Amino acid sequence: MNNIKLTLLASILFLLCISCGKDTLVFPEKVDDNGSKEPIDVFVKPTDVKVVGDYNQIFIFQWPKFSDKMDKVKITYEDGAVAKEILVSDFSKNYELITESLGEFEFKLVGIAKDGTETASVSKKATNKGLYIADVIRFLTASSNGFNVDIKWQNSGAKNLSLTFSYTDANGAKNETIESISESDVFSFSGLHGSRVSVELKDEFGNVLSKSFTYSLLSSELNTAATKAGWTGAVSSNHEGDGGGAAALIDGNPETFWHSPWGGTILPWPHSATITLNNVKRITKFELQLRHNNGTGAPRDFDFQTSADGTNFTTVESFVNTSTTAKAVIPYELTNSVETRYVRLLFKTSINNLAFVSLAEINFTAIQLEVD
């Protein structure tokens, strides 16, 4: 009999150990009027409730897995000076709460079981990120693209945005509104008129922010490596191992030079140098700089040509050079300024009746659009 009792007692202790080994994770505990606590296993655990601040006064409530005893969660908070309360019963997806104001909020959550039993409240603090358009407009940029102003923005959330651009065109003041949901976009307009563009950004909630840029047409000397950044050069022929080829004409260094073949197979005149600018510019003047240590290879007669496509060139104006001074900088002013991205200098004769030509640099003076 004693053995039976001992066996029964051991079995009961074993079952109790198994039961104690299983954690009962609760939301908060029910606090009765007498101060005693009664567990209500409605949440996996309280720390699994996450509140994340998002853009535009939005807070995201991320629910843990509930037991089937959960009926709803009561959320109370203060929005400005107004006390608010929300009941949530659908826990199959995150809950999105939109406040009236921005900043840090403290939310108090109370679990309500199906029998009406309530837990004590748990506080969760979170801060929203502010207006989504504030981030968009912060990284709004303006840059010149030839004589156009390009306004670029990022909309990584692909949200509905309305942008109104106020600027001046050939007919006067203009307002243009576009709707954008692309992750990145650009708005372009001519910068030949006016000097300021304002951008008004509006989101789907009616929030509005604005930003302005100024721009102007300035005459610039393009004669250094920095001012020639993004340019490329090409020549009709080059004497291998002598000078730096086409790149020497636009490197801003007067010690380097281009030299057409002077030995071996010597090609007949004309010789040419083609410069592709980084964008369209209105050229008013240009300069030829002769080789730093020998000006005998200077050209005499040459044409200033431009192209719309970089392939087909037409002569804008013809010029004559009379200098053979080493390192001389020889300026030429166009009778009429010309807007182009592609320039070719077609050298037709030699000042010394030689078969070749050499030059150190080709520089330009151009009116170009600059955005502040």
Side-chain angles (χ1 to χ4, degrees):
M1 180 62 69
N2 289 337
N3 288 338
I4 293 174
K5 289 182 179 180
L6 288 173
T7 300
L8 181 59
L9 180 60
S11 298
I12 293 171
L13 289 174
F14 177 74
L15 291 173
L16 288 174
C17 287
I18 292 176
S19 176
C20 292
K22 295 181 179 179
D23 293 335
T24 300
L25 301 173
V26 299
F27 186 54
E29 296 173 328
K30 165 68 176 180
V31 181
D32 293 334
D33 294 338
N34 59 12
S36 63
K37 296 181 179 180
E38 174 187 353
I40 304 174
D41 55 343
V42 292
F43 275 121
V44 175
K45 55 184 177 180
T47 55
D48 280 346
V49 183
K50 294 181 180 179
V51 184
V52 179
D54 205 344
Y55 288 106
N56 299 335
Q57 298 109 298
I58 295 175
F59 290 92
I60 306 297
F61 288 74
Q62 300 173 349
W63 307 116
K65 184 179 179 180
F66 296 129
S67 77
D68 56 6
K69 293 183 178 180
M70 170 57 69
D71 183 40
K72 57 180 71 74
V73 170
K74 180 170 62 177
I75 304 171
T76 57
Y77 62 100
E78 288 190 1
D79 198 347
V82 180
K84 295 191 175 183
E85 179 180 299
I86 296 173
L87 291 175
V88 182
S89 58
D90 182 4
F91 309 110
S92 62
K93 58 185 179 181
N94 294 335
Y95 179 70
E96 183 178 285
L97 187 151
I98 303 177
T99 60
E100 296 292 331
S101 54
L102 298 170
E104 183 184 68
F105 280 75
E106 181 178 8
F107 300 97
K108 295 183 177 180
L109 285 69
V110 173
I112 304 175
K114 290 183 177 180
D115 63 0
T117 305
E118 295 186 359
T119 69
S121 66
V122 167
S123 293
K124 296 286 181 176
K125 289 185 178 181
T127 304
N128 50 31
K129 297 179 181 179
L131 296 179
Y132 178 76
I133 56 173
D135 269 1
V136 175
I137 209 162
R138 184 179 298 119
F139 299 105
L140 194 75
T141 62
S143 60
S144 60
N145 180 13
F147 288 109
N148 285 340
V149 177
D150 286 351
I151 309 291
K152 298 180 181 179
W153 63 93
Q154 298 292 323
N155 179 15
S156 57
K159 298 182 183 295
N160 293 319
L161 300 177
S162 174
L163 297 98
T164 299
F165 302 88
S166 301
Y167 59 97
T168 303
D169 66 6
N171 298 315
K174 185 172 183 178
N175 293 319
E176 190 167 350
T177 300
I178 65 173
E179 305 296 327
S180 173
I181 59 172
S182 301
E183 291 188 3
S184 62
D185 214 337
V186 60
F187 176 80
S188 184
F189 66 95
S190 173
L192 293 175
H193 314 279
S195 60
R196 182 184 180 87
V197 55
S198 296
V199 186
E200 182 183 87
L201 189 60
K202 185 176 182 179
D203 64 18
E204 57 188 330
F205 302 99
N207 299 306
V208 176
L209 292 175
S210 61
K211 189 174 185 178
S212 296
F213 302 95
T214 57
Y215 53 92
S216 56
L217 293 172
L218 299 176
S219 180
S220 302
E221 302 293 330
L222 310 177
N223 54 16
T224 65
T227 57
K228 297 178 181 181
W231 295 13
T232 58
V235 291
S236 54
S237 59
N238 182 66
H239 192 95
E240 186 176 353
D242 193 0
L249 295 172
I250 55 175
D251 64 359
N253 182 3
E255 304 298 313
T256 62
F257 57 90
W258 160 58
H259 206 308
S260 67
W262 49 262
T265 301
I266 301 178
L267 300 176
W269 292 88
H271 304 298
S272 66
T274 303
I275 309 299
T276 300
L277 309 176
N278 58 320
N279 54 39
V280 174
K281 303 181 190 301
R282 184 185 296 169
I283 299 174
T284 58
K285 296 189 295 186
F286 67 97
E287 296 173 341
L288 300 184
Q289 185 166 8
L290 302 187
R291 180 173 168 175
H292 70 289
N293 56 359
N294 188 342
T296 59
R300 184 179 185 277
D301 299 285
F302 65 95
D303 294 338
F304 182 93
Q305 301 181 327
T306 62
S307 171
D309 57 11
T311 301
N312 302 297
F313 286 83
T314 58
T315 297
V316 173
E317 195 167 348
S318 297
F319 298 90
V320 177
N321 169 47
T322 59
S323 176
T324 59
T325 303
K327 209 173 183 177
V329 178
I330 311 162
Y332 299 92
E333 188 165 351
L334 294 172
T335 302
N336 297 300
S337 63
V338 59
E339 292 182 13
T340 187
R341 186 184 176 193
Y342 307 98
V343 175
R344 182 169 71 184
L345 296 179
L346 185 67
F347 303 106
K348 298 183 291 186
T349 62
S350 166
I351 198 169
N352 288 318
N353 295 317
L354 300 175
F356 55 81
V357 64
S358 63
L359 284 175
E361 287 288 318
I362 297 176
N363 303 320
F364 297 99
T365 300
I367 296 173
Q368 56 186 359
L369 181 70
E370 296 190 8
V371 180
D372 297 332

